[in-house]
Amino acid sequence: MAGPQVEVDGSIMEGGGQILRVSTSLSCLLGLPLRVQKIRAGRSTPGLRPQHLSGLEMIRDLCDGQLERAEIGSTEITFTPEKIKGGIHTADTKTAGSVCLLMQVSMPCVLFAASSSELHLKGGTNAEMAPQIDYTVMVFKPIVEKFGFKFNCDIKTRGYYPKGGGEVIVRVSPVKQLNPINLTDRGYVTKIYGRAFVAGVLPFKVAKDMAAAAVRCIRKEIRDLYVNIQPVQEPKDQAFGNGSGIIIIAETSTGCLFAGSSLGKRGVNADKVGIEAAEMLLANLRHGGTVDEYLQDQLIVFMALANGVSRIKTGPVTLHTQTAIHFAEQIAKAKFIVKKSEDEEDASKDTYIIECQGIGMTNTNL
């Protein structure tokens, strides 16, 4: 069943963990043996970090594959996939490594498994340099389900930097094929809502201050909409460690979702955290796309696998997205076209259409 080995240079373009996630996912799905070299070569701590290793081990376990040279700090791995199976799988970063990134690497694979899967993902739920779990549930989930599948994400415990200790359980049923998506009609913003949270020893006032500052910031630009950001104290039994942060979502008349988020850090005042999230949301609304900058790259693998032509409208195409496209073309042989949007209302903006002729991956187990 195995084709020729795919060679991937892990140092090009985004040059980080994302190359590993996209290439191992596609290798697993397509049954192609994979060698990745120069993993995270340019980073301050090159090679595999704990979260990358746990993601790789999970993909290996999902398909009873073989993984060689995979250890912390390793800059080269080889992976030989076998048949994807369902069932219960656990991945634990043992750090604040993001559970959302573990979900990113495993979700496409389990859709093409022989039976339903239950993924127990442990690590950081609201961690730096990764989507917050709230983003995954409130933005990624409703949009990615447009490809024609459903999944359930149960947040058992929240975990923060530096200790992690969070856990989510993701349940996914397999599909025969993925439908293409067409997200090109932005509509207009109909509501803005969100949550500002504190966990552990942090005072509730911090959540209230983040929410209030964010609302004030949004009101300056969007006057006619009620902005509902709930301050939340995470229950003691559902959060491990101390953390704070905020996520704000804008929903449009056509069902598009955009987000801005920020995490509290020691020594940074709560107002500043709230304003940062609000400004990120506003920036994502200004460019005229139908997805925000963090969703665009997460949709690429699904577009590549879908049966037909998918289109999404985006703001400036991020390096993460360009990287995902590069490897989806190299490994899966999907065809992408990225071009400037020709709509009149986008003429003055930096707006693009990403179009993909998907490969129509079929689940042979079903």
Side-chain angles (χ1 to χ4, degrees):
M1 112 148 188
Q5 180 167 292
V6 176
E7 297 278 342
V8 162
D9 178 344
S11 67
I12 64 172
M13 302 178 80
E14 182 269 336
Q18 190 212 10
I19 294 178
L20 211 54
R21 287 190 292 279
V22 171
S23 55
T24 39
S25 248
L26 291 171
S27 149
C28 177
L29 282 158
L30 297 159
L32 296 168
L34 173 73
R35 181 163 75 155
V36 187
Q37 293 170 294
K38 300 187 200 160
I39 295 167
R40 300 181 68 256
R43 298 295 155 100
S44 54
T45 47
L48 296 176
R49 304 303 304 143
Q51 69 267 31
H52 307 119
L53 185 56
S54 47
L56 283 175
E57 290 171 342
M58 180 159 158
I59 294 290
R60 175 198 64 198
D61 296 346
L62 283 175
C63 70
D64 276 335
Q66 285 164 320
L67 189 55
E68 285 153 55
R69 291 206 274 291
E71 55 204 50
I72 305 289
S74 170
T75 55
E76 181 177 325
I77 59 112
T78 53
F79 171 56
T80 312
E82 296 294 335
K83 193 169 151 151
I84 304 171
K85 57 189 197 329
I88 298 175
H89 299 278
T90 300
D92 185 354
T93 66
K94 307 211 173 33
T95 64
S98 166
V99 296
C100 304
L101 296 180
L102 291 173
M103 198 185 306
Q104 244 179 56
V105 66
S106 53
M107 178 77 71
C109 300
V110 291
L111 287 172
F112 292 89
S115 59
S116 295
S117 305
E118 188 174 293
L119 310 174
H120 294 241
L121 311 176
K122 300 175 184 180
T125 57
N126 299 75
E128 286 292 348
M129 307 297 293
Q132 295 192 44
I133 191 65
D134 308 86
Y135 181 92
T136 299
V137 172
M138 295 161 85
V139 178
F140 172 77
K141 177 174 155 45
I143 302 296
V144 84
E145 286 181 342
K146 293 179 191 287
F147 286 101
F149 67 92
K150 289 261 183 279
F151 73 93
N152 178 282
C153 181
D154 181 11
I155 305 168
K156 285 276 179 245
T157 317
R158 287 170 177 270
Y160 312 98
Y161 182 81
K163 290 192 177 135
E167 180 180 10
V168 302
I169 298 177
V170 180
R171 295 182 182 86
V172 191
S173 296
V175 291
K176 186 76 188 159
Q177 270 189 328
L178 294 177
N179 307 324
I181 62 168
N182 186 15
L183 292 181
T184 49
D185 180 8
R186 150 80 169 263
Y188 53 91
V189 178
T190 52
K191 50 180 159 176
I192 296 179
Y193 52 91
R195 74 193 301 266
F197 69 88
V198 290
V201 299
L202 298 172
F204 187 53
K205 179 181 183 323
V206 168
K208 290 198 286 202
D209 289 352
M210 284 190 291
V215 170
R216 284 196 303 273
C217 181
I218 292 167
R219 284 259 166 78
K220 284 189 198 133
E221 199 158 319
I222 302 175
R223 292 189 182 81
D224 48 353
L225 274 184
Y226 174 61
V227 181
N228 178 16
I229 302 173
Q230 297 284 191
V232 180
Q233 170 80 56
E234 300 290 6
K236 285 270 184 279
D237 59 340
Q238 287 164 31
F240 181 81
N242 307 312
S244 68
I246 180 170
I247 178 162
I248 318 163
I249 313 275
E251 200 172 304
T252 76
S253 54
T254 54
C256 299
L257 296 161
F258 300 82
S261 64
S262 183
L263 288 166
K265 289 182 207 61
R266 191 167 286 172
V268 177
N269 98 17
D271 287 25
K272 199 170 168 215
V273 180
I275 289 165
E276 184 177 61
E279 285 179 341
M280 186 193 290
L281 176 67
L282 293 168
N284 271 311
L285 288 172
R286 279 183 210 118
H287 60 53
T290 58
V291 296
D292 65 31
E293 60 186 312
Y294 298 104
L295 194 62
Q296 45 168 275
D297 69 283
Q298 295 186 61
L299 298 179
I300 298 300
V301 168
F302 297 97
M303 291 167 71
L305 297 170
N307 184 27
V309 177
S310 291
R311 281 185 198 87
I312 59 174
K313 189 190 274 197
T314 71
V317 179
T318 65
L319 181 57
H320 270 95
T321 299
Q322 292 166 29
T323 305
I325 289 173
H326 176 86
F327 290 102
E329 291 190 318
Q330 183 195 335
I331 302 171
K333 306 290 187 259
K335 298 270 186 288
F336 284 84
I337 298 170
V338 180
K339 53 178 190 274
K340 202 107 167 60
S341 169
E342 280 148 21
D343 293 356
E344 269 109 61
E345 75 266 23
D346 299 330
S348 61
K349 298 188 185 125
D350 221 2
T351 315
Y352 297 84
I353 300 285
I354 301 175
E355 183 176 299
C356 173
Q357 175 67 58
I359 63 171
M361 175 90 192
T362 302
N363 189 339
T364 49
N365 302 304
L366 295 186

